[in-house]
Amino acid sequence: MKKINTWMMAVALVAAPILFTACDDDDEKDKTYTVDFEAFATNDDGYWIGGQNGEGIDMGYGTKSWYNPYADGPLEFNLTYSENTSEYGTSTFWSGFALSSRRASGFANLTPDQYNNVTGKAHKGNNFIVATLYGEQIDVAIEGGAVIESLWYTNSSYTVNSILNGDYYSGSPFTNEDWLTCTFVGHHADGTKATVDVDLASNGKYLKEWKQVNLRPLGKIVALDFVMTGSRTGEYGLNTPAYICLDDIKVQIP
């Protein structure tokens, strides 16, 4: 579902150090850090999905994967780059949190258009992330956790294309009865969880701008993950592309 062209990058983002260089200066007492992804570079097509970092892991059936985690301030993001080689050639795919600086909102081809968001730009600055919601999570690199106050989110162009036009997996275009929801799940140090829901599509409409969500109700968390649910669900789970775009994640520093 996420096949893309093979390419190489010369940007070393793997295991980036935690640098608190983008703290909000407006209110020193708040001690907040806004994760804006502006310190990272993308390739010539405006995205980064990792690469062949180290020896890689043999996953079997001709597939090899490389783990490419990166950090921005107190948050750590996972990203896995994989290649599959068969008699038909080599294809590459990814999971986790891809970096994007794309300035397009449409969807014609999976690559590079799966790295577009429906607004055609970042919330602020140049960069945002595209998340695939298949069990990925954001880790808080602060002992005991921290409060993620808010973040900005919008729809992926890939998801909106499925909503408006339908596709092989999801079927026909959405009707007024169809819906798509993203649940933000906060994991606490004691193993408990809290959730906040946002609508990506409902009642014949879909989110088409950047929108801020208040995540303070999650409390102090050690990790944040995402669950996408929707009306187009089959035997093997959600059939609508489980993508969401994120930017400007505001974290309260203890």
Side-chain angles (χ1 to χ4, degrees):
M1 191 173 182
K2 294 182 282 187
K3 291 183 178 178
I4 59 174
N5 299 325
T6 304
W7 54 271
M8 298 292 292
M9 282 197 64
V11 181
L13 296 182
V14 178
I18 300 175
L19 300 174
F20 293 87
T21 57
C23 289
D24 297 338
D25 296 326
D26 296 338
D27 191 346
E28 282 288 327
K29 293 181 289 185
D30 281 347
K31 295 183 180 178
T32 58
Y33 181 96
T34 299
V35 176
D36 59 14
F37 310 103
E38 294 301 301
F40 303 108
T42 56
N43 67 4
D44 290 342
D45 289 321
Y47 63 90
W48 186 73
I49 57 170
Q52 295 183 2
N53 170 40
E55 294 184 2
I57 301 171
D58 186 356
M59 308 299 291
Y61 301 99
T63 298
K64 196 169 186 179
S65 296
W66 292 265
Y67 188 47
N68 288 257
Y70 60 95
D72 188 338
L75 301 185
E76 297 177 344
F77 302 83
N78 63 70
L79 178 62
T80 301
Y81 170 85
S82 302
E83 292 185 356
N84 176 265
T85 302
S86 70
E87 59 183 305
Y88 303 104
T90 298
S91 60
T92 65
F93 54 97
W94 63 282
S95 64
F97 302 92
L99 289 156
S100 179
S101 58
R102 298 273 299 166
R103 291 295 179 268
S105 61
F107 186 90
N109 300 296
L110 188 58
T111 299
D113 294 339
Q114 64 177 305
Y115 308 106
N116 299 347
N117 75 64
V118 72
T119 76
K121 59 183 179 180
H123 171 244
K124 288 183 179 179
N126 297 310
N127 296 341
F128 58 96
I129 57 173
V130 182
T132 56
L133 306 188
Y134 300 100
E136 288 72 21
Q137 72 177 31
I138 298 171
D139 294 315
V140 178
I142 296 175
E143 186 175 358
V147 174
I148 297 182
E149 295 186 2
S150 63
L151 59 76
W152 290 82
Y153 68 98
T154 194
N155 267 313
S156 156
S157 297
Y158 186 18
T159 302
V160 169
N161 177 71
S162 179
I163 291 170
L164 294 180
N165 303 312
D167 58 33
Y168 176 81
Y169 300 98
S170 187
S172 59
F174 270 29
T175 67
N176 288 351
E177 288 71 41
D178 285 303
W179 56 275
L180 188 66
T181 296
C182 179
T183 300
F184 298 90
V185 183
H187 296 257
H188 304 139
D190 63 2
T192 60
K193 301 176 184 179
T195 62
V196 170
D197 292 337
V198 297
D199 287 333
L200 299 178
S202 63
N203 301 316
K205 299 179 182 180
Y206 65 92
L207 180 65
K208 58 182 69 175
E209 65 275 332
W210 285 102
K211 189 172 182 179
Q212 190 177 38
V213 57
N214 176 17
L215 296 180
R216 291 184 185 88
L218 299 180
K220 183 180 286 189
I221 59 175
V222 296
L224 177 69
D225 66 21
F226 313 82
V227 177
M228 185 93 77
T229 53
S231 55
R232 298 298 179 91
T233 300
E235 181 181 357
Y236 300 104
L238 185 68
N239 292 324
T240 308
Y243 280 48
I244 191 171
C245 299
L246 309 173
D247 201 0
D248 292 328
I249 307 172
K250 191 174 183 179
V251 184
Q252 193 178 96
I253 308 300

